[in-house]
Amino acid sequence: SQTIHQWPATLVQPVGSPLSLECTVEGTSNPNLYWYRQAAGRGLQLLFYSVGIGQISSEVPQNLSASRPQDRQFILSSKKLLLSDSGFYLCAWVKTSGGDEQFFGPGTRLTVL
Amino acid sequence: QKEVEQDPGPLSVPEGAIVSLNCTYSNSAFQYFMWYRQYSRKGPELLMYTYSSGNKEDGRFTAQVDKSSKYISLFIRDSQPSDSATYLCGPYGQNFVFGPGTRLSVLP
């Protein structure tokens, strides 16, 4: 069966510090991968998606970046965090063969102080 | 205009009530429609999806799509406290698009 992992689960970082969040998927190959942010009381905001290794599409301009160094690994990064980067970060995957369900990871709660 | 709009709530109902959750969307090209349920501090999980206009029933849940008015509904019958969660709606297009979610509380 397929599983998706995210870590860390919780993170508290000072403003201006770097960020690296990791997402890995097991049990499938060549998935489409997604990073979302969910701010308190707000909906899911799509940040990045990837259809393959090294292929990243950005949905919103910001100080975050994403990378996909391996087929089932998706990384969200920042060089300098802002207060507004606080939120619940969710990674998700979809089968590339016409999948109709998006599977979400457990999420990382980031607080920037 | 946002692609998907949804009343954020919160919506509080007594146990056993019928709940109606609604979304509107703007892009008539959307074909798939999804409802996700998200418990507090967890990732969303797919609850139901439909491909066309009409109703789809799964236990106590019924999803309804009206493409002519670009309106999506989720009905929960005999609501339970365990249904308390945020419900996200969204059509699937090139990429998944979600509404902001409606927070539902079912009170025992």
Side-chain angles (χ1 to χ4, degrees), chain A residues 36 38 49 94 100 102 109, chain B residues 34 36 38 41 49 95:
Chain A
Y36 290 89
Q38 190 175 35
Y49 69 93
V94 172
D100 52 17
Q102 196 168 41
R109 186 158 301 280
Chain B
M34 317 278 192
Y36 280 78
Q38 184 179 21
R41 297 180 176 271
Y49 72 91
N95 286 307

Side-chain angles (χ1 to χ4, degrees), chain A:
Chain A
S1 64
Q2 303 92 355
T3 56
I4 178 169
H5 304 278
Q6 283 186 249
W7 63 89
T10 305
L11 191 60
V12 180
Q13 292 284 95
V15 168
S17 65
L19 173 74
S20 181
L21 303 180
E22 189 164 344
C23 169
T24 58
V25 181
E26 296 178 357
T28 189
S29 56
N30 196 29
N32 288 342
L33 296 172
Y34 302 79
W35 277 113
Y36 290 89
R37 177 171 57 205
Q38 190 175 35
R42 300 179 65 179
L44 292 174
Q45 179 186 31
L46 180 63
L47 301 175
F48 301 95
Y49 69 93
S50 171
V51 298
I53 296 174
Q55 300 179 64
I56 307 295
S57 295
S58 174
E59 289 294 304
V60 292
Q62 57 207 331
N63 68 322
L64 298 172
S65 62
S67 62
R68 185 168 177 178
Q70 301 179 44
D71 180 44
R72 289 169 290 176
Q73 184 185 32
F74 205 21
I75 297 173
L76 183 70
S77 304
S78 175
K79 292 181 179 178
K80 288 186 177 181
L81 284 169
L82 306 173
L83 285 173
S84 58
D85 291 324
S86 293
F88 192 45
Y89 287 82
L90 289 157
C91 180
W93 72 274
V94 172
K95 294 178 186 177
T96 52
S97 56
D100 52 17
E101 179 175 356
Q102 196 168 41
F103 299 90
F104 286 87
T108 294
R109 186 158 301 280
L110 172 66
T111 303
V112 182
L113 301 175

Side-chain angles (χ1 to χ4, degrees), chain B residues 6-108:
Chain B
Q6 192 176 5
D7 186 341
L11 177 63
S12 294
V13 301
E15 183 175 355
I18 296 175
V19 177
S20 174
L21 304 171
N22 306 297
C23 286
T24 58
Y25 63 96
S26 59
N27 189 340
S28 58
F30 292 134
Q31 297 294 317
Y32 283 101
F33 301 92
M34 317 278 192
W35 282 99
Y36 280 78
R37 179 174 60 196
Q38 184 179 21
Y39 291 113
S40 181
R41 297 180 176 271
K42 302 288 186 183
E45 55 183 358
L46 182 67
L47 187 61
M48 293 184 70
Y49 72 91
T50 62
Y51 180 68
S52 60
S53 287
N55 294 351
K56 181 177 181 180
E57 194 171 314
D58 184 2
R60 296 184 293 111
F61 299 88
T62 299
Q64 189 175 79
V65 177
D66 183 347
K67 287 189 177 181
S68 62
S69 57
K70 301 191 185 70
Y71 200 79
I72 310 166
S73 299
L74 178 70
F75 299 98
I76 307 174
R77 293 185 300 279
D78 187 24
S79 56
Q80 303 294 310
S82 59
D83 295 328
S84 298
T86 297
Y87 290 80
L88 303 162
C89 70
Y92 172 63
Q94 180 181 357
N95 286 307
F96 288 84
V97 178
F98 292 95
T102 298
R103 190 154 55 93
L104 171 67
S105 294
V106 181
L107 308 175

